[in-house]
Every structure is written in C-alpha cells, then in structure tokens.
Amino acid sequence: MTARIGVVTFPGSLDDRDTQRAIRLAGAEPVALWHKDKSLGQVDAVVLPGGFSYGDYLRAGAISRFSPVMESVIEQAKSGMPVLGICNGFQILTEAHLLPGAMLGNNHLHFICRDQKLRVENADTAWTADYAAGQEIHIPLKNMDGRYVADEHTLDELEAEGRVVFRYVDFNPNGSLRDIAGITNAAGNVVGLMPHPEHAVEPLIGSGRTDGLPFFTSILKKLVGA
C-alpha cells in the first residue's frame, strides 16, 4: 500500500511544493489538491501548507476556511482522517474550529524568520509518533500572525489533556501564550503548528537539519501500519 497524502493549494500558498517534496522523501505519494475542488481525491491524509492564503486579507486563514475543499476536510477530519496544518494551515484550522484558539499578530508587530528550537510535548499524535516526548528539535519559523491565544479555560484544558504538542524553547518568537507552538485535537488526528517542518527534511537545504522529516514518516507509519 502506498499512502496518498493530499496537499491543498490556496491562492497565496507558498510551501505546497516543499510539502509535497517532504511527503515524497518520507516514502508517501503527494497528491495536489486545489482549494476550489470539493473532492479530496481519495487521499489518506491532508496537509494544509504554509503561505499567505488570500493575502491574509480580513484575517489570516479566515477566507480559506470557506474554500470548497474545506467542507470535505472538516467532514473527514471529524471522521478521523489525519490533518496537518502548517503556519497558515494552522491558522485555517483554528478558523475552521478544528482546533481551538486563534492566531493573532506577533506581539512585536514584525514578520519573523528564524531557526526555532522546539520541545516535543506530545509524541502520541498521528503526526508525531516518530519523535520522543521531551525531545528538542530545530524547525524553521516564518510568520507575521503567529501568536497563539485562547482563553484560560481552553489553555488549561489543552494542558490537562496533553494536547500541547510543541512548545517554544529558549525564545518565544511571537508572544504565543504559554509558549505554545503547536496543538492537537482531542482525537490526536488533527495537528497544527507554526514552524515549518517541510523546510527541515534534507541536510543540504533549508536549515541543514532533518528534524522535520519525522512529521511525514510518522503519518506514513500510521497509514500503512509499519
């Protein structure tokens, strides 16, 4: 069995091709999905990649949430299909209410691009099983609206249920509450994070590290039962 992982392209997506390459390097088959098509083409999982969908007009991810493809993504995610949202994709997942909270502008009001140190807090999701809890990794980060916020009750709930998947270490680049860099839903099939693992899959490009590759090998093993 060859796992087929869809990558949705919205107007303004920047990292869809990079994500497809990461999926291919992990051993799965990337499938290009267009935001106007409602069909997911019988894929086994979906990635919403980074970029600036619809130019981040109105609010980051707010317009993409209403693209035809998202109706199918929401339906399948609620039925257990693994979905990963990276950066702008994370923003779309919060706008679609597949993940709680919201993404606001960075507290310093500037775009930031850096190699970011993270700690893996949850290695039990569909996308993080090839990591170890407590493992520290370096993943490139680039965003303008990367500040994760939620009310205290939601934050306490995420902490109590182990749904904080990644946390910023040493430096909080955008003012995210409780240093949260990524979260999951209660079922563990939907994960969103701000840093870009697809830019850390080959030693000769990007960050020069391969710390992001386990995202894609994790989901491959989940889908094929390896």
Side-chain angles (χ1 to χ4, degrees):
M1 171 186 174
T2 300
R4 304 176 77 248
I5 302 177
V7 180
V8 180
T9 298
F10 300 92
S13 294
L14 300 178
D15 302 299
D16 45 344
R17 298 294 181 89
D18 304 74
T19 303
Q20 290 175 28
R21 179 172 178 79
I23 290 167
R24 192 175 295 110
L25 285 171
E29 177 187 351
V31 178
L33 301 175
W34 182 237
H35 74 113
K36 284 189 175 181
D37 297 331
K38 189 174 179 180
S39 172
L40 296 180
Q42 296 182 320
V43 298
D44 303 300
V46 170
V47 180
L48 306 180
F52 300 90
S53 61
Y54 290 94
D56 282 348
Y57 295 124
L58 179 64
R59 190 171 60 248
I63 302 176
S64 289
R65 178 262 178 272
F66 293 101
S67 290
V69 73
M70 285 304 299
E71 183 177 337
S72 299
V73 170
I74 292 169
E75 178 184 351
Q76 292 302 313
K78 290 180 177 179
S79 297
M81 174 181 281
V83 177
L84 175 65
I86 302 170
C87 194
N88 191 228
F90 187 9
Q91 295 161 345
I92 295 170
L93 289 177
T94 61
E95 292 288 344
H97 304 297
L98 286 174
L99 291 175
M103 309 302 302
L104 301 182
N106 297 340
N107 60 345
H108 45 71
L109 304 180
H110 295 286
F111 179 84
I112 188 167
C113 182
R114 57 173 278 131
D115 193 20
Q116 178 66 45
K117 188 176 182 181
L118 306 175
R119 183 171 60 249
V120 180
E121 302 283 24
N122 183 341
D124 295 324
T125 78
W127 298 92
T128 58
D130 269 359
Y131 292 107
Q135 182 179 350
E136 294 186 350
I137 61 177
H138 290 79
I139 301 289
L141 173 83
K142 50 177 184 174
N143 64 69
M144 180 68 185
D145 298 291
R147 178 162 56 106
Y148 180 76
V149 299
D151 61 78
E152 286 298 311
H153 173 75
T154 298
L155 292 170
D156 289 343
E157 188 175 69
L158 290 172
E159 300 275 14
E161 296 178 0
R163 291 169 54 194
V164 176
V165 182
F166 295 95
R167 219 180 292 269
Y168 298 117
V169 177
D170 296 338
F171 173 71
N172 185 325
N174 43 41
S176 291
L177 298 181
R178 304 195 189 182
D179 299 326
I180 291 174
I183 61 173
T184 184
N185 65 343
N189 63 303
V190 179
V191 170
L193 77 158
M194 285 310 295
H196 288 259
E198 77 280 8
H199 295 324
V201 294
E202 294 181 281
L204 295 180
I205 61 173
S207 67
R209 299 173 181 267
T210 59
D211 290 4
L213 192 58
F215 274 91
F216 306 101
T217 57
S218 293
I219 191 60
L220 177 61
K221 291 178 180 178
K222 168 72 174 179
L223 294 174
V224 302

